[in-house]
Amino acid sequence: MTLSKGFKSIMDTVKAEIWSQTTGKVALMLLILLVALGIAAAIMLPPNFVQVWNDLKPWGLKPKNVPPQWASIFGYACAPHYEVDLRGVTYRTNITGNEVVIRYILTYDFIANGYPQGIAVSIDGFSLSAAQSFKVTVNIIRPDNVKVPEVISYLTIPIGMNIRVDGALLNPDSMKLASTLVTLYPQLLTIANVYDIAMKYTIYLFSKFSNATGILPLTGTYKVEVIVSAMYSNIPTAKDVDKLITAIRSSNSFGFAIIGTCYGALGTDYRGRDLFEALFFGLPIALLIGFGTAVATTIIGLFAGLVSGYYGGLIDEFIQRFVDVLGSIPQLPILILLAVAIQQTYGAHPNKPFIMLMAILGALIVFGWGGLAIVVRSMTLSIKSEAYVEAANVVGASNWWIMRKHIIPQLLPYIAAQMVYATPSAILIEAGLSILGLQHGLPTWGGVLADARIYGNIAYWWWIFPPGIAISVTSLTFVLLGLALERIAEPRLRRV
Amino acid sequence: MTGELILIVENLKKYYMLRGSLLQTLGLSPPTYVKAVDGISFTVNKGEIFCLVGESGCGKTTTGKVIARLLEPTSGKILYKPSQTARGVLEAFNYRDEYIDIAKEYSKEVDKALRREIQMVFQDPFSSLNPRMKIRDILEEPLIIHKIGRDRMERLELITKALEEVKLVPAQEFLDRYPHMLSGGQRQRVAIARALILGPSLIVADEPVSMLDVSIRAEILQLMLEIRKSKNISYVFITHDLAVASNICDKIAVMYLGKIVEMGETLKVVNNPLHPYTKALMQAVPEPDPRNRLKFRKLDIKGEVPSAINIPPGCRFHPRCPYAMDVCKREEPLLIDVEKGHSVSCWLYMRK
């Protein structure tokens, strides 16, 4: 009952002091939104997301450096991304001679809205035993019924007993594809030379040609034939067919993609990673850094200041000089040293990103509480000399009682405001450190921006603006909240 | 008024060390002290109102705070005779003497028992009540600290009773108010209720009416007198107002620069002030009779109170005294009995 009563009184205060102001209203709504999104992201966060994010393999089939899908509104030529997981689509099998052949027929509807970035097959964690060779071929049958054979072809032989394919991203051999196209369409040579065709093979693969108009997109349904085959030393049995199918099914990745030029809600980075995921799952991390630092620095600062101001004497002198020393140590070089040290020690450790983040958080906390401790000390000194504290002393109140009942309640509004201000600064420092190159490897907003600085380009706006805006909005939320709380914290602005 | 002593103060001193020069900090030269209270002795009878009178800075509030155990004295004894209830606790801790020296430090339990015995009412009722607490919480605080009352309901009963004792009726109306919703007089009543709620035997009242409107003063003083009557409580009443003092005190001690210069039964001190300082104080009391308004009243003393850091040698009043003699500059006079129940510390009376 007291809990609900306490909650009610907090809600009343919030309503009376914050909701009554426009800034407070905006801040509260933004805060609720951020926290809700953060919780949603934390719940939806895949368990190994950080590893996946830092792994090259899972992003192989994704388009690289492409804007979001809605960029087409602004005139971007957006070829949609077409991706098929071959482990889950229907297929036909047959045995020809010593070969087991699995044939996937896919259909791709090409609408003339930009040409795709490329074509690729990705295979990872594939293992097949007893076969003599393993082959993947991709043929494309165009809407004009011309079959372009061996757009992609890949052949591998066993090492030892097994055929293993790991982290393979199969792309067309562009010179071979160009000569195939020239063979199929001799008139192509009047428009372009072989090297041009090889450089921009997707344009020519998805176009029709005439001497009069040059190249025009050839819209319609393209049939994609993915043929996976394995050669055996003797005539294969149904068991061998099953084996190949099982090998495909149990691989980590076996996919085909016609790589588009627009992807997802917020585009991709240089590795083809979905930036929306980084931003979405970066939110709980940002909030954790912000709240974690704010809460910890506030609690340490409050108690250090309280003890310092209330007890005075040697302990006061010690805490205050400690704070002075802490304040005169530059934070940034320490953080950089720390990051380098962790990189050296835990470079290969699977939990390195987490360790690094905790170390940065720890450093932010260690350097963050000093200012609050000084302010709390001075406020405690003035409250301590109030007559009602003396009155409580006469009554026999313990020191802890006086702090709890008389001093802390008066510090609370200030503490709340302090916490609100500490939150965005921690988020900003973390982002700043990432941009400076202290990469912890977590998909934080600062981390995304840091990647953009190194691998990006000024034209890749989808890579730069969203994390920047996310950081700004989060900071703005807390700054607005702080402005709304200022009236409580600063008695001169307070209504009487 | 049984004549039984409840409080015996012996040679009480309270010095504050000043943050001095480097040599002083290093302990190479003697430190400078502010001698707020410089060796005073007096006794308080059970049920008596003992007044400490003096101008600002004479050490009367410091004396009060030392007695209320807010400050630790530099030296001296404060012997207090505990009541029957406190005696039980004290005996459990092997303090069996009739008097206990409250100037010393004691264990938590003994300390709490002694705190229940001696309470304090502060000068400023606007700052002695926490503005963020309701009257109910302010009065409940001592009960919780001393674990009086089994539950909220029982404590509420005690609080209501205390409010009724100080004539804040109906008590229900005041329970949920904040201090700023009360008038000065009402606040001081709450402060008195807080002092009374633990059932003390001695109350140190530090200028309890000086911040109140003149119209309210009499009511509060009347209330305090009534409480003394009904509960047989003793007061150490600190005031700078001789008019107030002469009205309610049984005994008056006039303080000047940390010393008692004159002490005695109220009537004797007021009607026959001996010390030049007391005389000057008496002359400074406003004259209520309008017929005397044009009468020229000459104050004999000159100058200001010297700083408590630089106390004049000899009699500390001599630089301002119209009757100062050579001996006054050299030697400090002792407090001597002039008549029964009236003593003074002045060379003028030593000769007789």
Side-chain angles (χ1 to χ4, degrees):
Chain A
M1 195 204 125
T2 43
L3 197 75
S4 70
K5 218 171 143 189
F7 180 72
K8 195 177 167 288
S9 82
I10 289 173
M11 289 311 287
D12 285 347
T13 319
V14 167
K15 206 172 164 188
E17 300 286 350
I18 302 171
W19 192 252
S20 58
Q21 304 167 70
T22 322
T23 46
K25 228 175 256 180
V26 174
L28 272 186
M29 284 192 291
L30 279 173
L31 183 69
I32 289 165
L33 184 76
L34 280 178
V35 170
L37 281 176
I39 290 169
I43 291 167
M44 287 158 68
L45 186 75
N48 56 347
F49 180 70
V50 176
Q51 268 134 296
V52 172
W53 182 259
N54 288 314
D55 196 352
L56 283 168
K57 292 174 200 164
W59 309 98
L61 286 180
K62 302 284 187 263
K64 321 268 184 280
N65 297 329
V66 298
Q69 268 165 348
W70 45 264
S72 61
I73 301 167
F74 305 110
Y76 273 81
C78 270
H81 184 67
Y82 176 79
E83 189 179 328
V84 179
D85 186 354
L86 294 175
R87 292 175 297 177
V89 295
T90 54
Y91 53 86
R92 277 181 300 174
T93 59
N94 60 335
I95 299 168
T96 45
N98 282 2
E99 210 173 16
V100 176
V101 178
I102 297 175
R103 191 186 300 268
Y104 299 91
I105 306 290
L106 313 168
T107 53
Y108 170 65
D109 288 314
F110 179 62
I111 43 163
N113 194 4
Y115 292 99
Q117 215 175 38
I119 297 166
V121 171
S122 136
I123 305 169
D124 185 45
F126 176 86
S127 167
L128 183 68
S129 61
Q132 284 197 321
S133 72
F134 170 72
K135 195 174 159 194
V136 179
T137 314
V138 176
N139 306 321
I140 291 178
I141 300 143
R142 291 164 37 106
D144 56 4
N145 276 327
V146 174
K147 178 174 176 178
V148 183
E150 298 200 339
V151 172
I152 294 171
S153 81
Y154 173 75
L155 179 74
T156 184
I157 52 163
I159 299 167
M161 288 299 288
N162 268 336
I163 293 174
R164 281 206 62 88
V165 185
D166 273 317
L169 188 65
L170 316 177
N171 288 307
D173 177 346
S174 50
M175 278 312 288
K176 192 179 145 200
L177 180 58
S179 54
T180 312
L181 283 172
V182 169
T183 320
L184 290 170
Y185 300 97
Q187 72 270 34
L188 252 178
L189 282 174
T190 61
I191 304 163
N193 63 39
V194 181
Y195 298 104
D196 273 347
I197 298 166
M199 290 290 287
K200 300 169 184 168
Y201 65 84
T202 50
I203 296 180
Y204 298 93
L205 193 57
F206 294 101
S207 290
K208 59 186 174 200
F209 327 100
S210 66
N211 292 338
T213 54
I215 47 172
L216 279 176
L218 178 62
T219 56
T221 305
Y222 288 73
K223 254 191 212 157
V224 180
E225 227 179 11
V226 182
I227 300 159
V228 181
S229 58
M231 185 81 90
Y232 291 88
S233 54
N234 43 4
I235 295 176
T237 57
K239 217 176 139 193
D240 291 320
V241 178
D242 279 348
K243 234 171 159 183
L244 181 58
I245 290 165
T246 319
I248 293 173
R249 286 260 162 95
S250 57
S251 64
N252 291 336
S253 155
F254 209 107
F256 169 79
I258 296 175
I259 297 165
T261 54
C262 287
Y263 188 81
L266 287 174
T268 62
D269 70 358
Y270 72 111
R271 284 187 187 176
R273 296 184 291 199
D274 187 354
L275 288 172
F276 174 76
E277 280 183 37
L279 254 57
F280 186 58
F281 295 125
L283 175 62
I285 301 175
L287 291 182
L288 177 79
I289 293 169
F291 284 140
T293 314
V295 168
T297 53
T298 306
I299 289 175
I300 298 172
L302 169 64
F303 282 97
L306 208 54
V307 167
S308 186
Y310 191 83
Y311 291 103
L314 259 180
I315 181 102
D316 175 34
E317 199 69 23
F318 176 75
I319 290 174
Q320 291 309 308
R321 295 297 80 78
F322 187 75
V323 168
D324 286 348
V325 170
L326 213 58
S328 60
I329 296 174
Q331 193 178 354
L332 202 58
I334 298 279
L335 280 167
I336 291 170
L337 273 179
L338 195 70
V340 171
I342 288 167
Q343 185 67 45
Q344 298 273 329
T345 321
Y346 294 100
H349 200 276
N351 286 334
K352 185 209 105 187
F354 186 68
I355 293 168
M356 185 98 109
L357 184 73
M358 285 299 131
I360 291 175
L361 206 69
L364 288 179
I365 291 167
V366 166
F367 288 103
W369 58 271
L372 182 66
I374 291 173
V375 176
V376 167
R377 172 181 177 265
S378 71
M379 289 176 83
T380 305
L381 279 177
S382 83
I383 298 168
K384 193 177 85 170
S385 58
E386 292 278 353
Y388 54 81
V389 173
E390 267 186 340
N393 260 323
V394 172
V395 157
S398 63
N399 293 330
W400 175 231
W401 174 279
I402 288 171
M403 289 189 220
R404 206 159 42 102
K405 292 280 176 180
H406 295 286
I407 299 178
I408 293 178
Q410 300 209 44
L411 296 175
L412 272 185
Y414 184 80
I415 297 287
Q418 177 65 32
M419 211 141 118
V420 160
Y421 279 121
T423 306
S425 71
I427 294 174
L428 286 175
I429 289 177
E430 187 276 328
L433 287 177
S434 295
I435 291 169
L436 282 179
L438 298 185
Q439 289 280 35
H440 39 62
L442 288 174
T444 59
W445 298 340
V448 170
L449 276 177
D451 280 348
R453 192 181 72 89
I454 301 168
Y455 307 103
N457 180 321
I458 192 74
Y460 300 159
W461 51 266
W462 58 90
W463 197 354
I464 302 163
F465 285 112
I469 291 169
I471 292 171
S472 312
V473 168
T474 311
S475 301
L476 181 74
T477 304
F478 289 101
V479 170
L480 286 180
L481 204 58
L483 284 178
L485 279 175
E486 202 171 39
R487 207 179 60 192
I488 312 174
E490 181 61 64
R492 279 174 297 176
L493 298 174
R494 203 168 174 187
R495 283 175 309 183
V496 180
Chain B
M1 328 250 158
T2 51
E4 159 195 24
L5 295 177
I6 188 167
L7 189 75
I8 307 165
V9 176
E10 280 175 17
N11 199 19
L12 180 71
K13 287 181 183 173
K14 175 69 191 173
Y15 293 175
Y16 292 100
M17 201 169 29
L18 279 184
R19 215 176 238 222
S21 64
L22 181 67
L23 284 179
Q24 286 174 331
T25 318
L26 294 175
L28 296 177
S29 70
T32 321
Y33 290 106
V34 176
K35 298 178 177 178
V37 178
D38 197 9
I40 64 171
S41 307
F42 59 86
T43 57
V44 181
N45 282 329
K46 181 97 186 114
E48 187 180 59
I49 299 185
F50 181 85
C51 286
L52 284 170
V53 185
E55 61 197 307
S56 319
C58 71
K60 55 192 194 303
T61 297
T62 307
T63 310
K65 283 186 176 172
V66 170
I67 294 168
R69 311 186 67 231
L70 272 175
L71 299 173
E72 253 181 79
T74 311
S75 70
K77 275 185 184 169
I78 307 168
L79 298 175
Y80 172 77
K81 186 177 185 182
S83 69
Q84 280 310 313
T85 43
R87 200 160 281 284
V89 181
L90 294 180
E91 271 167 15
F93 286 87
N94 273 325
Y95 297 106
R96 290 173 201 287
D97 294 342
E98 201 184 354
Y99 289 93
I100 181 163
D101 186 358
I102 58 172
K104 289 183 187 147
E105 272 189 64
Y106 292 99
S107 68
K108 223 174 182 178
E109 287 80 3
V110 177
D111 185 77
K112 273 196 171 175
L114 290 175
R115 293 220 180 268
R116 279 190 72 167
E117 291 283 285
I118 304 168
Q119 280 297 311
M120 187 155 177
V121 176
F122 290 86
Q123 176 176 17
D124 182 2
F126 291 86
S127 67
S128 71
L129 306 176
N130 189 336
R132 284 156 193 265
M133 286 164 89
K134 289 177 182 169
I135 303 305
R136 170 207 291 271
D137 299 323
I138 290 170
L139 293 180
E140 200 176 15
E141 185 176 35
L143 298 179
I144 296 173
I145 289 168
H146 288 276
K147 300 192 176 65
I148 302 169
R150 278 189 302 274
D151 51 20
R152 250 196 116 99
M153 283 316 293
E154 206 175 312
R155 288 198 292 266
L156 189 63
E157 242 168 70
L158 290 169
I159 294 165
T160 315
K161 228 178 89 190
L163 284 174
E164 277 161 4
E165 257 167 29
V166 295
K167 311 258 160 53
L168 284 177
V169 279
Q172 256 64 29
E173 214 169 277
F174 292 93
L175 282 176
D176 287 316
R177 289 203 196 168
Y178 285 94
H180 71 261
M181 300 156 104
L182 304 182
S183 70
Q186 286 171 328
R187 282 164 176 238
Q188 199 57 295
R189 283 170 197 267
V190 172
I192 292 169
R194 171 172 61 191
L196 286 176
I197 203 160
L198 290 175
S201 314
L202 177 68
I203 288 181
V204 178
D206 182 7
E207 309 216 28
V209 294
S210 70
M211 300 285 278
L212 302 179
D213 285 357
V214 179
S215 57
I216 310 289
R217 280 186 193 177
E219 286 177 27
I220 298 290
L221 292 174
Q222 195 56 42
L223 175 72
M224 294 179 79
L225 288 175
E226 275 170 33
I227 288 163
R228 164 174 76 158
K229 213 176 211 175
S230 62
K231 306 201 152 196
N232 199 21
I233 287 177
S234 323
Y235 287 99
V236 173
F237 194 98
I238 296 162
T239 180
H240 62 264
D241 189 343
L242 265 177
V244 168
S246 57
N247 265 319
I248 73 160
C249 300
D250 299 317
K251 256 198 254 167
I252 286 182
V254 180
M255 283 185 77
Y256 182 77
L257 265 186
K259 279 238 169 191
I260 293 177
V261 292
E262 185 165 0
M263 179 161 66
E265 285 159 27
T266 306
L267 282 178
K268 288 179 181 161
V269 174
V270 169
N271 294 335
N272 181 25
L274 295 175
H275 197 281
Y277 180 63
T278 318
K279 283 181 183 164
L281 281 184
M282 289 308 297
Q283 279 174 329
V285 173
E287 179 65 61
D289 190 346
R291 272 176 302 185
N292 293 335
R293 69 186 183 280
L294 293 175
K295 204 169 123 193
F296 182 69
R297 289 190 293 165
K298 185 168 163 288
L299 275 184
D300 287 333
I301 61 173
K302 51 197 182 257
E304 297 278 327
V305 191
S307 151
I309 305 167
N310 269 323
I311 291 176
C315 173
R316 47 194 72 197
F317 188 61
H318 85 258
R320 305 176 71 191
C321 184
Y323 314 108
M325 302 168 292
D326 274 352
V327 64
C328 300
K329 291 169 191 162
R330 290 192 314 269
E331 266 179 82
E332 206 160 9
L334 295 171
L335 195 65
I336 49 148
D337 282 349
V338 180
E339 51 185 318
K340 194 179 174 295
H342 191 179
S343 47
V344 67
S345 153
C346 182
W347 287 114
L348 286 175
Y349 304 94
M350 291 285 261
R351 284 187 186 162
K352 286 175 192 172

